[in-house]
Amino acid sequence: MRTPRPDQVRIGFYICHCGTNIAGALDVGEVVNHVAGLPGVALARDYKYLCSDPGQELIQHDIRDHGLNRIVVAACSPLMHERTFRRAVEEAGLNPFYCHMVNIREHDAWVHTDRQEATAKAKALATGAVRRVALHKPLETKKVPIHGEVLVVGGGIAGIHAALILADAGKRVYLVEREPTIGGHMARFDKTFPTLDCAACILTPKMSAVGAHPNITLWTYSEVTQVEGYVGNFNVTVTRKPRYVIEDACTGCLQCIEACIYHDARFPDEFNLGLGKRKPIHLPFPQATPPVVLIDPGTCIEFKTGKCKKTCVEACADRRAIDFQQREETRQIQVGTIIIATGFQTFDPRRIPYYGYGVFPTVYTALEVERLLNAAGPTGGEVILRNGKPPQRVGIVHCVGSRDENTNRYCSRVCCLYSLKLAHLIKEHTGAEVYNFYIDIRTPGKGMEEFYNRVAEEGMHLVRGKVADVYPDPADPANGRLMLQVEDTLMGRILKVPVDMLVLSVGLEPRADTQEVRRKFNLCCGPEGFFLERHPKLAPVSSYAEGVFLAGCCQGPKDIPDTVAQAGAAAAQALALIVRGYTEQEPNTAYVREEDCSGCKSCIPLCPYTAISLAADKQKAFINEALCKGCGVCVAACPSGSIGQNLFEDEQLLSEVEGVLTYA
Amino acid sequence: MIATIEPELATVCQRDTTLETLLQQPEGRRILSCIQCGICAGTCPYGEYMDFPPRRIISMLRRGLMEEVFQSDSMLRCVACYACMTKCPRGIRLSDVLLPLVKEQTLQRAPEMPAELQRSLQNTLRYGNPMGESSRKRANWVTTSPVPVPILAEIRRPVDVLWFVECYTSYYPRGQDNSRAVARLFNALGIDFAILGNEEKCAGDCGQLTWESGLFETLTDYNMEILRKYKFNRLVTGDTHAYNAFRIRYPMYGFNYELEHTTPFLTRHVEQLKPRLKKPLNVTVTYHDACCLGRRAGFYEEGRTLLRAIPGVKLVEMVHNRMNSLCCGGGGGGMWLDTYFKQKGMDRLSERRIKEALATGADVLAISCPYEVYRFEDALKTLPHARPMRVRDVVELLAESLED
Ligand SMILES: Cc1cc2nc3c(=O)[nH]c(=O)nc-3n(C[C@H](O)[C@H](O)[C@H](O)COP(=O)(O)OP(=O)(O)OC[C@H]3O[C@@H](n4cnc5c(N)ncnc54)[C@H](O)[C@@H]3O)c2cc1C
């Protein structure tokens, strides 16, 4: 091996064909020829798949045989393979930060159709990279230890499952749920497709396991209000809303509810979506976890007048669980990793006024029907309409708020199946004629097509067409009968179908507070508004925030089997970080050249990661490397130019820009 | 050929788009994405009378079988109510692009044009109005107005509002009621306005929707020339079809004046108007959303806001309201196809609508499109009903309540 003089830059340039992904769209040979002639370039090559083992070995041999000390790889996005090539370069004895990637796949080959122009762009980008890499400095990655505790946000089936896996593995889990009970949407269902097992039978054992697990701290009626820090070391503030009942003292005997001064339940019950009634002191549903009642100050007489006889307190007696003075409390915790499992909300069908939801009392959402079917629901499991009668003819409209440019463009994935489920259950409960109006029936997944078959064989009417209009049946307007107008597209005929009950299969949407949660945890959202995974295929549970993972419907609509699978994966990823014990930090951090810093403090409020403070003794800005994410805001903002950034030094960037421009 | 398109439409197809080139345009790609859900056919007021409702037209277009579609008169039955376009989950601009193109071809191949329609279009070309009245009598109604109505050619000065009156509101007695009301309201608000008088000709919206593009262009060229003669800040019209034409088609001919329909215009002035609305009307009113004002332009609440401003008005809603409103059947040439539709055994949409209006128990059916007076008053004559019902434009009701 020849040892070049340390000040002599010897660049190796490699361009990847990526099969035909790159080579099909631009002339790799021409790029190689061009780069080979640039100053500092000792060698330029193309290769079919550089990320393959032989590809990496090629680079490693060249480093040794040709004394290369800088490497430029023109290939895919650095998000995909920067790590691969840095590792390969490091194994060959070079500092990994002497390797630089140029993205000519996503930024070039995939987005252009003109071969010549695409080749020219690749040359320009490569020239920039060659200029830049010559100025690279050796850098070191830092190892940061990881706390073993995990925060799980959201206690639906996703959060429950992830929490249990981690707790069973011996990790401390904080499960924070906004509602008074965990369970999420699944707790509201009667049965679940495709097997029709009872939702409660499979969910409530897991709920109580969460409640009883020594490694799980369960905070319901709570929300994460602040998150600081970084992977391995998050400082989290949780706010606990007052339920006016002391959790540790309440035994869940429910005698207080019995004793409430209101004899009858008379306030709309949130858990039953307003279809049933509750008292001011209530438990959302019998298997609520924790089994702790709560008081709604908006309806409780004591809160409104201060003059209640407080029969609830009497009934509670020496358990003394009721505390009208309870205040909001905050808790501080430190965790190493976070799992976001905040789920979804159902589409509000008032946004499609022609389906008459909120206008005609016989129009229901699918979720409301789940409650009507549920034995613990407001009607004890009987499907009866608001007028007290069971329906004889029921229409179920698919794709309400899905696959629609006017509302949500995407397919909500579960509605076909839950509509078939509801059709089966409604028929079973009432014997009604049930019509499913669909655009396409989508039933992929294990056991799903079989379930579709089964329901079809039971004699459902399956009409292919999107219901266009809903109005009171002119022949029978008094009984709340509705007429559905729809084209049966397979027959090519306009049908008018009278029904007593209309069920809207509402789609799954990002929760209303998604943007708030996104900001709090530094996440990204996709175009439809769900949290964005790091890679749709290869990193489906990682978010763009290091150490924060996604599980369940907050990442996109999915059924329970997929939700549980994803929750397991998120738990495993969190566990993988904890078990390793540390993370590596990109050294692309900003640093202060103290001699130039005037201590003006303009950078401090700008830093989105609160990484900058004023060193009191020196009156100079101080950047906490562990917190710095390398966003560069302070670098650009510093009035005296005294902040630099590793890997993004001014001279490096300017040479890169020059390189790009000189080619063009 | 699409002769004219609004600027917003220009992003989805070209001025010279034909059925042959449509699928290569952005709008055509949307059409390729049609999922054949049938909501267009289901919502179409005449869907059940069409062999080829929009959904089937799309599938025939995609298979290259359009000749078969042109042989059917399905598209003649389209009343351009914009319901299919509003509800389409793929955002296909049916009423703007595909359907008029099909209508054009259908009419070109039709052995004969329905007589009534033929006559109206000829009249429009010859006299500048579909009823075949003399163009010199267009401004005659002005003499019956309780307040002065200045005519631009006479006053010879710039005005704030050029009020484009349009045909029905100039010639037909019940239309003139509308015009007299608008004049009073403008006067009460102190608006500096004037009309074109006998120089005005039909804006030609229906010529366009029945795909007589030649006729439309003659009218456009004429009106644009007249408009260029005068100075004004905005053009206001009480005719929703003229409004539609100026909004959607005229921009391609250089029309870039500020444009308003009287209903939203007056709503902008409602606070000024309110103290002058002194006479309580003591009636229950139901409001009909005109297609070109509601579904096509998104003005659903303005008419209702005005009605609520009138003392003694109780507003009730029909089953089909706002974006789900039922068309009166007058658009797309439907105004002159009643006989044809009847021959084909089709029910009248205006009667369908009146039944809903009657069911509300309202005393007054309020409208904001001059076509509707005739359509609904006619329907009231043919439909037996126990309680009397009056049809009134929103501006008429406002003027009724106006202090003298
Ligand atoms: C009508 C209907 C029927 C369905 N039927 C079936 C079926 O039969 N079979 C099937 O497999 N799938 C079914 N699904 C799909 C199923 O509901 C989902 O797969 C599942 O509920 C997803 O669970 P999750 O935990 O991701 O979300 P959720 O169930 O939405 O749980 C999220 C939890 O997070 C909490 N939360 C939200 N935001 C915050 C926050 N900021 N802080 C703290 N907590 C928060 C919520 O309160 C909630 O408890 C159905 C869906 C619908 C709409």
Side-chain angles (χ1 to χ4, degrees):
Chain A
M1 184 172 116
R2 276 178 291 153
T3 330
R5 292 208 325 271
D7 57 337
Q8 188 191 350
V9 168
R10 289 180 60 79
I11 302 170
F13 175 79
Y14 297 85
I15 182 165
C16 180
H17 294 202
C18 195
T20 54
N21 275 307
I22 294 170
L26 53 92
D27 188 338
V28 288
E30 208 182 309
V31 181
V32 167
N33 288 340
H34 167 76
V35 175
L38 295 176
V41 175
L43 178 146
R45 289 184 195 276
D46 61 296
Y47 194 76
K48 194 148 186 145
Y49 288 107
L50 276 170
C51 61
S52 67
D53 282 351
Q56 297 178 46
E57 280 160 20
L58 173 78
I59 299 176
Q60 291 174 330
H61 285 140
D62 284 350
I63 290 174
R64 293 190 193 108
D65 299 347
H66 297 273
L68 305 178
N69 56 15
R70 302 283 193 284
I71 299 296
V72 172
V73 178
C76 52
S77 158
L79 277 180
M80 294 293 304
H81 277 306
E82 191 169 59
R83 239 181 244 182
T84 315
F85 293 112
R86 278 186 182 164
R87 197 184 329 107
V89 166
E90 188 171 23
E91 280 170 16
L94 277 187
N95 183 287
F97 295 92
Y98 278 146
C99 171
H100 186 69
M101 279 192 83
V102 190
N103 181 356
I104 55 160
R105 192 178 71 174
E106 286 84 342
H107 286 181
D108 189 359
W110 279 357
V111 289
H112 296 295
T113 47
D114 184 315
R115 195 177 168 80
Q116 229 173 340
E117 298 263 4
T119 308
K121 181 167 175 182
K123 284 190 207 167
L125 292 172
T127 312
V130 163
R131 290 249 190 149
R132 156 194 246 282
V133 81
L135 301 171
H136 273 204
K137 293 181 200 141
L139 295 168
E140 252 176 69
T141 17
K142 291 225 164 53
K143 287 185 178 173
V144 188
I146 286 190
H147 276 271
E149 294 80 3
V150 185
L151 165 69
V152 177
V153 187
I157 182 60
I160 290 173
H161 189 73
L164 283 173
I165 292 186
L166 289 161
D168 285 345
K171 302 300 163 197
R172 165 125 315 264
V173 178
Y174 297 94
L175 178 54
V176 176
E177 164 61 51
R178 173 161 41 202
E179 300 296 324
T181 172
I182 55 171
H185 281 94
M186 188 174 171
R188 291 190 156 106
F189 303 159
D190 179 38
K191 303 227 164 106
T192 51
F193 68 74
T195 43
L196 292 183
D197 24 17
C198 131
C201 311
I202 56 177
L203 179 65
T204 51
K206 293 188 79 131
M207 288 169 56
S208 29
V210 165
H213 208 296
N215 288 342
I216 298 180
T217 306
L218 173 59
W219 286 330
T220 54
Y221 219 36
S222 303
E223 264 181 81
V224 172
T225 36
Q226 202 181 12
V227 184
E228 288 178 332
Y230 49 93
V231 53
N233 295 279
F234 292 107
N235 292 311
V236 180
T237 311
V238 178
T239 303
R240 309 210 58 201
K241 286 171 268 187
R243 61 206 295 157
Y244 306 107
V245 172
I246 299 160
E247 234 177 281
D248 292 337
C250 175
T251 59
C253 69
L254 310 187
Q255 285 173 16
C256 49
I257 301 181
E258 188 78 12
C260 176
I261 198 87
Y262 280 108
H263 227 272
D264 302 312
R266 59 159 78 165
F267 303 103
D269 164 4
E270 296 83 1
F271 190 78
N272 283 319
L273 310 161
L275 292 169
K277 300 266 191 274
R278 60 154 173 80
K279 296 183 179 179
I281 190 161
H282 64 286
L283 189 69
F285 69 109
Q287 295 103 327
T289 305
V292 176
V293 296
L294 72 155
I295 299 174
D296 165 23
T299 51
C300 171
I301 293 190
E302 177 61 14
F303 277 96
K304 287 167 71 179
T305 65
K307 289 191 194 128
C308 184
K309 278 203 270 172
K310 291 183 265 207
T311 39
C312 54
V313 178
E314 265 166 44
C316 192
D318 49 8
R319 281 162 290 203
R320 295 168 193 274
I322 295 171
D323 174 9
F324 292 108
Q325 307 309 320
Q326 208 172 46
R327 293 274 169 276
E328 191 172 271
E329 287 172 24
T330 56
R331 301 284 160 87
Q332 296 287 340
I333 50 172
Q334 203 165 44
V335 298
T337 50
I338 298 175
I339 294 177
I340 305 290
T342 49
F344 65 96
Q345 68 184 28
T346 48
F347 174 81
D348 177 1
R350 286 181 194 87
R351 285 171 59 196
I352 307 184
Y354 51 86
Y355 286 149
Y357 182 78
V359 178
F360 306 125
T362 45
V363 183
Y364 293 80
T365 68
L367 203 55
E368 288 170 338
V369 177
E370 293 279 1
R371 293 314 295 154
L372 293 181
L373 287 162
N374 195 302
T379 53
E382 271 189 82
V383 182
I384 39 175
L385 299 168
R386 290 188 172 93
N387 65 12
K389 292 187 204 155
Q392 287 168 350
R393 298 168 61 86
V394 180
I396 302 179
V397 181
H398 292 214
C399 299
V400 177
S402 301
R403 304 184 71 196
D404 186 346
E405 293 276 336
N406 305 304
T407 54
N408 294 318
R409 299 171 69 167
Y410 53 88
C411 164
S412 294
R413 253 189 72 183
V414 295
C415 324
C416 280
L417 281 152
Y418 81 55
S419 301
L420 291 168
K421 170 184 80 176
L422 294 178
H424 163 87
L425 294 173
I426 292 170
K427 201 174 172 81
E428 187 181 71
H429 284 232
T430 64
E433 291 269 299
V434 185
Y435 288 79
N436 269 271
F437 300 97
Y438 66 94
I439 306 176
D440 296 299
I441 293 270
R442 294 182 167 172
T443 57
K446 202 168 182 176
M448 303 297 185
E449 183 69 13
E450 293 86 335
F451 177 65
Y452 171 24
N453 244 331
R454 166 182 169 182
V455 176
E457 279 177 10
E458 287 169 2
M460 298 307 155
H461 299 278
L462 292 160
V463 179
R464 192 194 175 286
K466 191 168 166 83
V467 170
D469 198 3
V470 174
Y471 48 91
D473 181 356
D476 191 9
N479 283 318
R481 254 208 177 181
L482 295 175
M483 191 65 98
L484 310 184
Q485 197 167 301
V486 59
E487 185 193 18
D488 182 326
T489 58
L490 297 179
M491 288 206 304
R493 207 172 281 175
I494 312 289
L495 304 182
K496 292 183 182 168
V497 183
V499 296
D500 310 308
M501 180 186 204
L502 177 60
V503 183
L504 303 179
S505 295
V506 284
L508 278 57
E509 276 190 337
R511 285 192 183 265
D513 66 342
T514 298
Q515 288 305 322
E516 241 168 84
V517 176
R518 179 187 66 76
R519 274 192 291 275
K520 221 174 275 168
F521 293 95
N522 264 317
L523 306 170
C524 296
C525 286
E528 61 320 272
F530 291 103
F531 297 130
L532 190 63
E533 65 285 348
R534 179 79 64 94
H535 188 278
K537 292 149 210 162
L538 302 178
V541 299
S542 304
S543 75
Y544 276 92
E546 210 67 54
V548 182
F549 302 100
L550 308 173
C553 288
C554 65
Q555 180 260 349
K558 53 180 70 68
D559 57 17
I560 296 167
D562 284 5
T563 296
V564 170
Q566 203 186 22
Q573 295 250 294
L575 209 50
L577 277 181
I578 297 169
V579 170
R580 189 169 65 177
Y582 67 88
T583 58
E584 286 186 341
Q585 258 204 335
E586 239 334 82
N588 63 348
T589 44
Y591 59 87
V592 180
R593 282 183 283 266
E594 284 188 359
E595 60 280 14
D596 298 332
C597 172
S598 68
C600 76
K601 297 186 276 196
S602 28
C603 53
I604 296 176
L606 293 176
C607 175
Y609 307 98
T610 51
I612 314 181
S613 53
L614 193 75
D617 46 346
K618 294 187 253 178
Q619 288 294 308
K620 308 270 181 195
F622 167 75
I623 299 178
N624 181 343
E625 259 192 6
L627 293 179
C628 173
K629 290 266 178 227
C631 71
V633 166
C634 57
V635 184
C638 177
S640 59
S642 58
I643 306 185
Q645 190 182 347
N646 293 317
L647 267 186
F648 292 91
E649 302 290 2
D650 287 356
E651 45 175 8
Q652 295 171 352
L653 293 177
L654 291 172
S655 319
E656 184 173 13
V657 173
E658 266 170 27
V660 171
L661 297 179
T662 44
Y663 176 76
Chain B
M1 196 179 86
I2 295 187
T4 46
I5 32 182
E6 65 174 318
E8 175 199 333
L9 259 186
T11 59
V12 300
C13 68
Q14 300 298 312
R15 250 182 99 156
D16 55 358
T17 296
T18 63
L19 280 171
E20 282 71 43
T21 58
L22 178 57
L23 291 185
Q24 279 88 55
Q25 309 279 326
E27 173 63 7
R29 287 196 284 280
R30 286 242 158 145
I31 289 174
L32 291 176
S33 81
C34 165
I35 44 179
Q36 293 282 298
C37 69
I39 199 167
C40 47
T43 196
C44 178
Y46 278 149
E48 53 200 314
Y49 298 109
M50 289 184 184
D51 300 328
F52 293 99
R55 178 189 67 78
R56 289 202 70 202
I57 295 181
I58 288 181
S59 74
M60 298 298 269
L61 176 69
R62 297 196 293 203
R63 298 287 169 273
L65 299 171
M66 287 304 283
E67 265 317 310
E68 230 173 284
V69 176
F70 304 146
Q71 298 314 316
S72 143
D73 73 343
S74 294
M75 242 329 97
L76 277 191
R77 303 171 186 218
C78 165
V79 288
C81 74
Y82 297 96
C84 54
M85 175 165 134
T86 309
K87 291 183 183 175
C88 174
R90 279 299 186 255
I92 301 173
R93 304 179 72 152
L94 290 157
S95 330
D96 277 343
V97 184
L98 178 64
L99 303 184
L101 284 170
V102 176
K103 197 176 251 187
E104 177 183 32
Q105 297 300 316
T106 307
L107 273 173
Q108 280 177 11
R109 284 170 182 69
E112 60 177 345
M113 259 235 220
E116 211 181 333
L117 177 64
Q118 173 99 6
R119 202 176 324 115
S120 302
L121 296 180
Q122 267 168 5
N123 283 340
T124 310
L125 188 60
R126 198 169 303 160
Y127 306 102
N129 65 74
M131 33 299 237
E133 297 276 352
S134 157
S135 58
R136 271 169 301 171
K137 294 189 189 151
R138 197 171 179 99
N140 280 8
W141 70 270
V142 167
T143 55
T144 65
S145 168
V147 298
V149 178
I151 293 177
L152 271 169
E154 291 167 7
I155 60 171
R156 298 165 179 276
R157 63 169 179 85
V159 289
D160 180 33
V161 169
L162 188 158
W163 171 22
F164 196 92
V165 185
E166 254 309 19
C167 310
Y168 283 89
T169 25
S170 292
Y171 291 107
Y172 275 13
R174 285 289 287 115
Q176 293 171 357
D177 290 341
N178 176 321
S179 297
R180 283 185 283 266
V182 172
R184 280 189 65 203
L185 291 165
F186 279 177
N187 188 62
L189 285 169
I191 308 278
D192 171 31
F193 74 99
I195 65 171
L196 290 171
N198 291 342
E199 279 185 294
E200 182 186 283
K201 275 188 184 178
C202 179
D205 189 49
C206 284
Q208 182 67 358
L209 287 170
T210 48
W211 218 262
E212 275 294 299
S213 45
L215 164 63
F216 177 70
E217 281 179 9
T218 313
L219 293 168
T220 314
D221 291 344
Y222 173 83
N223 281 320
M224 281 307 294
E225 211 181 300
I226 298 293
L227 290 179
R228 282 197 198 100
K229 276 178 32 184
Y230 299 107
K231 279 214 161 66
F232 53 94
N233 293 327
R234 72 200 77 234
L235 189 149
V236 176
T237 179
D239 186 298
T240 47
H241 286 277
Y243 174 72
N244 208 40
F246 286 129
R247 196 166 85 90
I248 297 172
R249 320 277 171 175
Y250 273 61
M252 293 308 278
Y253 296 84
F255 181 95
N256 62 355
Y257 303 101
E258 244 180 72
L259 170 72
E260 256 178 309
H261 181 268
T262 42
T263 306
F265 177 87
L266 292 170
T267 311
R268 263 199 312 116
H269 294 88
V270 70
E271 288 312 318
Q272 242 174 296
L273 206 52
K274 257 184 199 163
R276 314 283 309 270
L277 301 176
K278 289 265 169 68
K279 275 186 225 153
L281 300 188
N282 300 329
V283 281
T284 304
V285 180
T286 188
Y287 178 72
H288 167 80
D289 291 271
C291 305
C292 296
L293 200 61
R295 268 191 292 269
R296 188 61 186 87
F299 295 111
Y300 296 116
E301 300 311 319
E302 285 69 8
R304 293 175 171 83
T305 307
L306 289 176
L307 290 170
R308 276 195 212 98
I310 303 174
V313 161
K314 186 179 162 227
L315 199 58
V316 291
E317 292 292 345
M318 289 180 265
V319 167
H320 288 89
N321 60 64
R322 298 182 171 83
M323 77 175 287
N324 209 29
S325 167
L326 286 182
C327 178
C328 73
M335 198 69 180
W336 310 290
L337 286 167
D338 280 329
T339 323
Y340 182 75
F341 290 161
K342 197 170 175 193
Q343 280 166 4
K344 302 282 171 180
M346 292 154 68
D347 60 331
R348 283 175 73 186
L349 295 184
S350 47
E351 290 181 11
R352 243 191 248 176
R353 190 54 166 165
I354 280 293
K355 280 184 204 156
E356 278 201 357
L358 289 169
T360 63
D363 311 299
V364 176
L365 171 59
I367 53 165
S368 49
C369 164
Y371 283 23
E372 286 152 3
V373 194
Y374 306 99
R375 305 207 61 79
F376 292 142
E377 286 187 350
D378 270 5
L380 278 168
K381 281 177 208 146
T382 48
L383 267 186
H385 54 283
R387 259 179 84 106
M389 170 169 270
R390 287 178 291 145
V391 183
R392 290 287 180 274
D393 198 289
V394 173
V395 292
E396 291 179 70
L397 293 174
L398 287 170
E400 235 176 273
S401 162
L402 203 61
E403 62 182 352
D404 293 315

